[in-house]
Amino acid sequence: MDIRYSAHPRDVARYTTEELRAEFHISGLYQPGEVTAVYSHVDRMVTLGIMPVGEALPIDKGINVWENFGTSFFLERREVGFFNLGGHGAVTVDGASYRLAPKDCLYIASGAKAVAFTSEDSGNPARFYGVSAPAHRKCENRLLTLADAAKKPLGSVESANKRVINQFIHPDVLDTCQLSMGLTVLDPGSVWNTLPAHTHERRMEIYTYFDIPEGNVVIHLMGQGQETRHLVMRNFDAVISPSWSLHAGCGTAGYSFIWAMGGENQAFDDMDVIPTEELR
């Protein structure tokens, strides 16, 4: 498991491109037949990429659960949400099977012991993208489709940021301990997300970008409002955003992204907005 430690914004302001990427950028999440995990000490969130090809993959394959979490199994004191960003697949949770089509989401509550992942077609495997947060109480497992998500249209064509925020793991849809996740889809012709920029001092966030056409990238803005930095993101890359960092992006073409949050609250609109004219 890749371990990422917390970084002070004063130090990040002096980082080189490589240092910035080593701290916050996540690539190579989907390796055939493997579970890839990145543990961030920012709110102790874990980012997961699982690509089953052939045999079923347990959620803890290659992870020393006791060493990393001090528990006897992965979800003993954690909850997790998964989106399927590949071909059709299934997740088995303590004997119950959930079939995930592309862009379906599965919330798995704390206490689940046996969690395993399969693809229906090894030639077009599922790509299970997950984010796990610490949890102090057990909720209910639930499969969610795009139709189940709460819809929040934002932006405009004129500002090139017309989009729909699909809130899947969200208090308006289902009860969780602290995890929130959703899928934002940009309208054709729009390339900006999350403007005006903001931070939320009480929560951290993780983005993963996908549906980026070949040969294109997303420029992800991060850092403090008066000391911005950027990362170049490619298809299926993810990025860790601490509570002090803004998080916005502009693509050379259209794209979608999954956002995941954990921290002190689940109030989606709890944001500290940074006026665009004040960005530096």
Side-chain angles (χ1 to χ4, degrees), residues 72-108:
S72 56
F73 56 95
F74 192 101
L75 294 174
E76 182 176 341
R77 296 179 59 85
R78 289 186 158 270
E79 59 187 349
V80 65
F82 281 98
F83 277 85
N84 181 11
L85 305 183
H88 287 78
V91 184
T92 303
V93 182
D94 290 337
S97 183
Y98 302 88
R99 183 177 185 268
L100 273 71
K103 297 183 181 177
D104 283 354
C105 173
L106 178 65
Y107 170 75
I108 308 174

Side-chain angles (χ1 to χ4, degrees), residues 84-146:
N84 181 11
L85 305 183
H88 287 78
V91 184
T92 303
V93 182
D94 290 337
S97 183
Y98 302 88
R99 183 177 185 268
L100 273 71
K103 297 183 181 177
D104 283 354
C105 173
L106 178 65
Y107 170 75
I108 308 174
S110 64
K113 289 185 177 180
V115 181
F117 303 80
T118 57
S119 294
E120 290 187 6
D121 179 3
S122 59
N124 181 28
R127 294 174 186 257
F128 294 104
Y129 170 76
V131 176
S132 172
H136 62 268
R137 65 186 177 92
K138 179 177 174 59
C139 299
E140 297 295 326
N141 302 334
R142 185 173 169 188
L143 175 66
L144 299 159
T145 68
L146 191 60

Side-chain angles (χ1 to χ4, degrees), residues 64-263:
N64 187 321
V65 174
W66 175 255
E67 179 181 308
N68 288 286
F69 307 127
T71 57
S72 56
F73 56 95
F74 192 101
L75 294 174
E76 182 176 341
R77 296 179 59 85
R78 289 186 158 270
E79 59 187 349
V80 65
F82 281 98
F83 277 85
N84 181 11
L85 305 183
H88 287 78
V91 184
T92 303
V93 182
D94 290 337
S97 183
Y98 302 88
R99 183 177 185 268
L100 273 71
K103 297 183 181 177
D104 283 354
C105 173
L106 178 65
Y107 170 75
I108 308 174
S110 64
K113 289 185 177 180
V115 181
F117 303 80
T118 57
S119 294
E120 290 187 6
D121 179 3
S122 59
N124 181 28
R127 294 174 186 257
F128 294 104
Y129 170 76
V131 176
S132 172
H136 62 268
R137 65 186 177 92
K138 179 177 174 59
C139 299
E140 297 295 326
N141 302 334
R142 185 173 169 188
L143 175 66
L144 299 159
T145 68
L146 191 60
D148 298 316
K151 307 295 191 294
K152 189 171 183 178
L154 285 178
S156 66
V157 173
E158 292 77 13
S159 54
N161 69 344
K162 186 172 174 57
R163 62 202 188 277
V164 176
I165 298 174
N166 298 280
Q167 298 168 331
F168 282 75
I169 300 176
H170 183 275
D172 290 343
V173 180
L174 80 163
D175 182 42
T176 68
C177 184
Q178 69 155 316
L179 183 66
S180 296
M181 292 182 75
L183 162 64
T184 296
V185 180
L186 276 69
D187 278 19
S190 287
V191 292
W192 277 99
N193 78 72
T194 322
L195 280 180
H198 64 265
T199 61
H200 20 77
E201 191 65 30
R202 295 146 293 278
R203 289 175 293 161
M204 68 87 72
E205 192 155 4
I206 300 171
Y207 277 9
T208 191
Y209 291 97
F210 67 104
D211 283 345
I212 302 174
E214 186 175 354
N216 289 275
V217 299
V218 174
I219 308 301
H220 180 84
L221 298 180
M222 63 168 296
Q224 295 178 294
Q226 302 300 303
E227 193 73 44
T228 61
R229 296 292 183 269
H230 75 272
L231 291 168
V232 176
M233 309 292 293
R234 291 178 169 80
N235 208 24
F236 298 120
D237 284 356
V239 57
I240 299 166
S241 181
S243 60
W244 49 263
S245 175
L246 61 88
H247 33 281
C250 184
T252 58
Y255 57 92
S256 301
F257 67 97
I258 305 289
W259 45 267
M261 292 185 282

Side-chain angles (χ1 to χ4, degrees), residues 7-37:
H8 195 285
R10 178 185 58 235
D11 300 322
V12 173
R14 298 190 291 266
Y15 280 7
T16 65
T17 297
E18 285 308 309
E19 289 172 323
L20 201 68
R21 292 176 71 84
E23 200 72 46
F24 303 105
H25 177 258
I26 301 172
S27 63
L29 275 173
Y30 305 101
Q31 304 300 321
E34 298 295 337
V35 173
T36 304

